[in-house]
Amino acid sequence: MENFLQIFLIAASSVIILNVIFKKFEIPTIIAYIVTGIIISQIYHFNGSHELSDIAEFGIVFLMFTIGLEFSFKHLLAMRQEVFLNGSLQMLTCGLICSFIVIFLLGLKNEIAMIVGFTLALSSTAIVLKILNDNADINEAYGKKALGILLFQDIAVIPLLLIVEIFSSQNTNISQLVLTIFISAILLLTLLYLISKYLVDRIFRFVIYTSSQETFIVTILFIVIGASFLANNFGFSYSLGAFMAGVLIAETKYKHKIEADLIPFRDLLLGLFFITMGMQIQFNIVFENWLIILSLILLVLIFKFIIVFGFLFLYTKKSIALKTAFSICQIGEFALAIFSLLQAKEMLDIKIAQILIVTSIITMILTPFILNNIRKITNIVEDITLNSNSNPYIQDKSELKNHLVIFGYGHLGQEVVQKIKRTGIPYIALENDLNLVELGLSRGENVHFANVAQKETLKIANIEECAVVVITISNENKLEMLCQILTSFSKPIDIIIHINGNLEKFIFSETNKNIHIIKSEKVLARNLVQQAIECRIQKNI
């Protein structure tokens, strides 16, 4: 008992201190739990104990339950393309490539390599969605595409667990085993469905009438563990049963109350799972195989990024494809669960399991830094790939004088250009998305490619001879950089800009007489054009 209390105090104090420190660097709580597990294992030497594996599997059960609770068939149907098209492309291509990588680096057998490869294709739902929600990027185009792929990955975990069951079985007759599993799955699903439809609702109704919060929580735990026990008796894993329990409860009218009441308990159980992951890390194995771990990290991140970017770039904007690829290139928490399960079933030896677990954890640690700086990283990549003065869209427009220069040909920029065209005032629009440039040229509009990050490329618009600059770019990083460049010219340039946010984020001052800021929740193109015309008239006077 005394030893248990010591472990609890060390774990609790470590989690508190680490979370306070990590919060300053925007590192998620998952990493704090993993580091806590490492601390405990170094103090009490718990590495690889049988009791630890049991605790870890208990954590997996509740990890799967929480995912099942957030599962929604209606949500999946509403995002058909993002989930089923993008998700299946990502899982199939990344899974196959990662399978070849682990065969080459780790020398695994084909069937085990396939399981490991498709597991490495999974991304971190917990970390990515949390940061996207915190940053309010979940409603952005790239956020929706990342969400769709993550939802498909959550679905893909189920066949992965079934494949683990098949290959871990001692039955040599595969066809008979598959048939048995299929019949067992039908029976299990039917039984759970009947329980959900005819019993769960009545049980919760009686429990709620007691007005006892403790009874309500115990009822949820009973259903989760009961479903896990039932699944295990049918030959499936505990975690699969927990997932099905979450899905069934999610369809009841008590879902929101369950979510609200279970959040603190759920987070603690997830914390327990990640602590056990940290406790199982053996540094002697890690140090002996650091080169393999580093190679595996680089290869998985690079190939997952290239694959996702590649198929998204075929039908969406380059910036969206880049952001989505950066968002989900890591390995996820489900991988930790499956690797632990493979080790428990003796399908992976401890050395390979350690390499895979540490690789997954490191990619998860890198994820917050990538997501919190995703716009800066994307801008850098775009600037590198678009840095070419020989591009046919860059033309010499030195004959332009007393004209308007519009930066950005997005939705707002297109409206501004159309209104300026009606006035007959000479103009030139600069855009760094080739798809938008081609759209403008197809409309007969004076839109040209330019990298706004480089001062030299702006000379194609004869920027120092223009009357007014109108900025329609919404990206704050590009906006700040562009204003720096425009104010650095020796000849003052009148700038009209719309800002909706915290002005302190920008280095330029609102008191600068050449910068005309329009502050509003919603800007209309006619406001920008009207202001531009007035500035042009004043300049000519």
Side-chain angles (χ1 to χ4, degrees), residues 403 455 458-459 461-467 488-493 539:
H403 57 290
K455 190 173 181 178
L458 301 186
K459 292 182 179 179
N462 202 13
I463 198 79
E464 293 187 280
E465 297 299 326
C466 76
S488 69
F489 283 96
S490 57
K491 186 176 180 179
I493 299 172
K539 187 170 185 178

Side-chain angles (χ1 to χ4, degrees), residues 182-202:
F182 178 76
I183 295 172
S184 298
I186 296 297
L187 291 174
L188 176 62
L189 288 172
T190 303
L191 185 58
L192 287 176
Y193 173 76
L194 293 174
I195 292 173
S196 171
K197 186 173 182 178
Y198 296 105
L199 288 179
V200 170
D201 190 70
R202 290 181 172 85

Side-chain angles (χ1 to χ4, degrees), residues 38 101-102 104-106 120 280-302 331 336 339 350-366:
I38 294 173
I101 290 174
V102 295
F104 174 73
L105 285 180
L106 305 178
L120 291 173
Q280 294 184 77
I281 295 176
Q282 298 187 26
F283 284 99
N284 59 326
I285 297 177
V286 174
F287 292 144
E288 290 173 2
N289 299 277
W290 68 269
L291 186 58
I292 295 177
I293 293 172
L294 180 61
S295 302
L296 191 57
I297 291 170
L298 292 175
L299 288 173
V300 170
L301 290 177
I302 291 171
I331 305 168
L336 301 178
F339 294 148
I350 189 170
K351 173 187 171 182
I352 302 297
Q354 286 289 303
I355 291 173
L356 294 171
I357 288 172
V358 171
T359 298
S360 304
I361 290 172
I362 292 175
T363 64
M364 291 166 67
I365 292 174
L366 295 174

Side-chain angles (χ1 to χ4, degrees), residues 237-480:
S237 64
Y238 291 110
S239 53
L240 182 59
F243 176 82
M244 292 307 303
V247 171
L248 294 173
I249 290 177
E251 297 299 321
T252 68
K253 61 183 178 182
Y254 303 106
K255 172 187 174 180
H256 298 297
K257 177 173 174 55
I258 293 170
E259 284 182 323
D261 292 339
L262 200 62
I263 284 174
F265 190 72
R266 177 198 68 184
D267 291 343
L268 285 174
L269 288 169
L270 287 176
L272 173 64
F273 167 70
F274 288 112
I275 286 175
T276 60
M277 289 297 97
M279 291 168 70
Q280 294 184 77
I281 295 176
Q282 298 187 26
F283 284 99
N284 59 326
I285 297 177
V286 174
F287 292 144
E288 290 173 2
N289 299 277
W290 68 269
L291 186 58
I292 295 177
I293 293 172
L294 180 61
S295 302
L296 191 57
I297 291 170
L298 292 175
L299 288 173
V300 170
L301 290 177
I302 291 171
F303 276 105
K304 288 180 74 172
F305 173 84
I306 291 174
I307 290 168
V308 174
F309 173 76
F311 69 75
L312 286 180
F313 184 63
L314 296 176
Y315 69 93
T316 189
K317 293 174 64 174
K318 183 177 182 179
S319 59
I320 295 174
L322 283 171
K323 290 175 185 175
T324 307
F326 277 123
S327 298
I328 59 173
C329 64
Q330 76 290 129
I331 305 168
E333 60 279 345
F334 275 133
L336 301 178
I338 294 175
F339 294 148
S340 297
L341 189 62
L342 290 172
Q343 185 179 354
K345 292 182 177 294
E346 298 182 350
M347 297 173 69
L348 286 179
D349 60 41
I350 189 170
K351 173 187 171 182
I352 302 297
Q354 286 289 303
I355 291 173
L356 294 171
I357 288 172
V358 171
T359 298
S360 304
I361 290 172
I362 292 175
T363 64
M364 291 166 67
I365 292 174
L366 295 174
T367 301
F369 299 103
I370 295 174
L371 287 175
N372 288 326
N373 297 281
I374 195 163
R375 286 179 174 79
K376 292 181 180 177
I377 297 172
T378 303
N379 290 341
I380 291 171
V381 174
E382 285 185 314
D383 291 343
I384 292 172
T385 57
L386 295 174
N387 182 17
S388 173
N389 291 329
S390 60
N391 192 288
Y393 290 110
I394 297 182
Q395 302 175 16
D396 184 9
K397 297 295 172 185
S398 58
E399 69 274 9
L400 284 171
K401 293 184 184 299
N402 198 28
H403 57 290
L404 304 183
V405 179
I406 300 96
F407 283 96
Y409 191 70
H411 180 70
L412 179 59
Q414 291 171 34
E415 291 185 6
V416 169
V417 167
Q418 289 169 8
K419 293 185 181 299
I420 291 175
K421 281 172 64 178
R422 298 191 191 108
T423 67
I425 298 173
Y427 74 92
I428 181 172
L430 303 180
E431 173 60 54
N432 65 359
D433 188 322
L434 293 180
N435 293 326
L436 292 177
V437 172
E438 290 173 355
L439 175 64
L441 293 175
S442 69
R443 294 172 174 172
E445 294 172 348
N446 195 21
V447 184
H448 297 272
F449 172 83
N451 185 352
V452 299
Q454 291 193 327
K455 190 173 181 178
E456 290 299 315
T457 62
L458 301 186
K459 292 182 179 179
I460 67 170
N462 202 13
I463 198 79
E464 293 187 280
E465 297 299 326
C466 76
V468 184
V469 166
V470 180
I471 302 178
T472 66
I473 297 172
S474 59
N475 184 298
E476 292 183 356
N477 294 320
K478 287 186 178 180
L479 187 57
E480 180 179 350

Side-chain angles (χ1 to χ4, degrees), residues 99-118:
S99 298
F100 288 119
I101 290 174
V102 295
I103 289 174
F104 174 73
L105 285 180
L106 305 178
L108 296 178
K109 296 180 180 178
N110 291 340
E111 61 271 16
I112 305 300
M114 183 185 71
I115 298 173
V116 172
F118 278 88

Side-chain angles (χ1 to χ4, degrees), residues 53-66:
S53 299
D54 292 339
I55 296 173
E57 186 151 357
F58 186 73
I60 296 170
V61 165
F62 283 92
L63 175 65
M64 293 297 293
F65 171 69
T66 56

Side-chain angles (χ1 to χ4, degrees), residues 530-541:
Q530 183 179 354
Q531 183 72 44
I533 293 173
E534 291 176 0
C535 288
R536 184 172 182 266
I537 293 172
Q538 290 294 328
K539 187 170 185 178
N540 290 334
I541 292 174

